[in-house]
């Protein structure tokens, strides 16, 4: 794609792939503003994501995600970390790709299992759901939404952030 100057740098990917941590480091390195869609939604609604799922349901959360993107994709020069399900809505994908350079942070299933073990904050992982089933259903959606994929397996967030910066430099950013 053309230079990303003026565009947002968007991180998509499954839960546990490090979008928030990598995004924070990357934004600092690039002197860009960092926004995490989950945190933005929590602040707007004065409610945690967990609480939104529990009281209003997943559909209401997905609606709030789309509303968040309508605002955030209207801004320029952000590093934007997104919730793992952002790619479920094709309109979100169109908007993210139009306004940003979309980077898919991926990781091997064994590594994801380690990173997500004992997680009790993510509503979709509650109740004995096997994350692998969700991952398999979504893999193609991440692939189709992204301009590039980065395998984070065995890498620290700092290494991933450095890798993205190298990629952006190649792109003339
Ligand atoms: C979700 C991922 C979460 C959060 C919500 C739903 C998903 O974000 O948006 O619990 O559908 O994968 P993270 O990917 O930051 O955990």
């Amino acid at each position: 794609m053309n230079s990303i100057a003026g565009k947002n740098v968007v991180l998509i990917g499954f839960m546990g792939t490090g979008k928030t941590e990598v995004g924070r480091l990357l934004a600092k390195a690039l002197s860009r503003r960092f926004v995490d869609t989950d945190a933005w939604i929590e602040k707007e609604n004065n409610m945690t994501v967990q609480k939104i799922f529990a009281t209003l349901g997943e559909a209401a959360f997905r609606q709030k995600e789309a509303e968040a993107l309508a605002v955030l994709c209207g801004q320029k020069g952000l590093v934007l970390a997104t919730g793992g399900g952002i790619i479920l809505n094709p309109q979100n994908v169109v908007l993210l790709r139009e306004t940003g350079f979309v980077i898919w942070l991926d990781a091997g299933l064994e590594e994801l299992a380690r990173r997500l073990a004992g997680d009790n904050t993510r509503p979709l992982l509650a109740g004995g759901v096997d994350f692998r089933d969700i991952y398999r259903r979504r893999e193609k959606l991440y692939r189709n939404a992204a301009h590039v994929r980065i395998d984070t397996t065995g890498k620290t967030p700092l290494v991933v952030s450095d890798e993205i910066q190298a990629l952006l430099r190649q792109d003339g950013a």
Side-chain angles (χ1 to χ4, degrees), residues 15-163:
M15 297 170 269
T17 50
K19 295 165 296 207
T20 304
E21 242 180 302
V22 171
R24 208 171 270 133
L25 291 168
L26 184 64
K28 199 166 175 206
L30 298 175
S31 302
R32 283 175 172 241
R33 189 157 81 88
F34 173 67
V35 181
D36 177 281
T37 55
D38 281 345
W40 195 89
I41 291 166
E42 290 187 337
K43 202 166 164 214
E44 276 295 296
N45 292 276
N46 197 22
M47 228 194 271
T48 62
V49 169
Q50 244 177 326
K51 189 93 192 278
I52 296 172
F53 266 76
T55 57
L56 306 174
E58 180 172 351
F61 175 74
R62 298 300 174 204
Q63 179 62 33
K64 290 179 187 303
E65 257 184 341
E67 287 163 12
L69 285 197
V71 175
L72 295 169
C73 292
Q75 301 180 12
K76 287 184 175 166
L78 301 179
V79 171
L80 186 61
T82 58
I86 209 94
I87 41 69
L88 296 172
N89 178 343
Q91 284 170 0
N92 289 347
V93 173
V94 170
L95 197 55
L96 288 172
R97 286 181 62 93
E98 271 174 8
T99 56
F101 182 59
V102 182
I103 301 167
W104 171 23
L105 299 189
D106 198 16
L109 288 176
E110 279 182 24
E111 172 121 354
L112 282 179
R114 269 195 301 278
R115 292 190 200 167
L116 295 173
D119 188 304
N120 53 12
T121 62
R122 290 175 165 106
L124 289 184
L125 300 180
V129 172
D130 188 345
F131 80 88
R132 293 170 189 82
D133 292 336
I134 309 176
Y135 178 91
R136 287 190 192 104
R137 278 201 302 275
R138 289 185 179 173
E139 188 175 3
K140 197 170 165 205
L141 299 176
Y142 292 125
R143 191 178 307 284
N144 290 342
H147 292 111
V148 291
R149 170 183 176 273
I150 292 189
D151 186 358
T152 68
T153 308
K155 298 174 188 164
T156 64
L158 193 60
V159 167
V160 176
S161 167
D162 285 348
E163 206 173 304

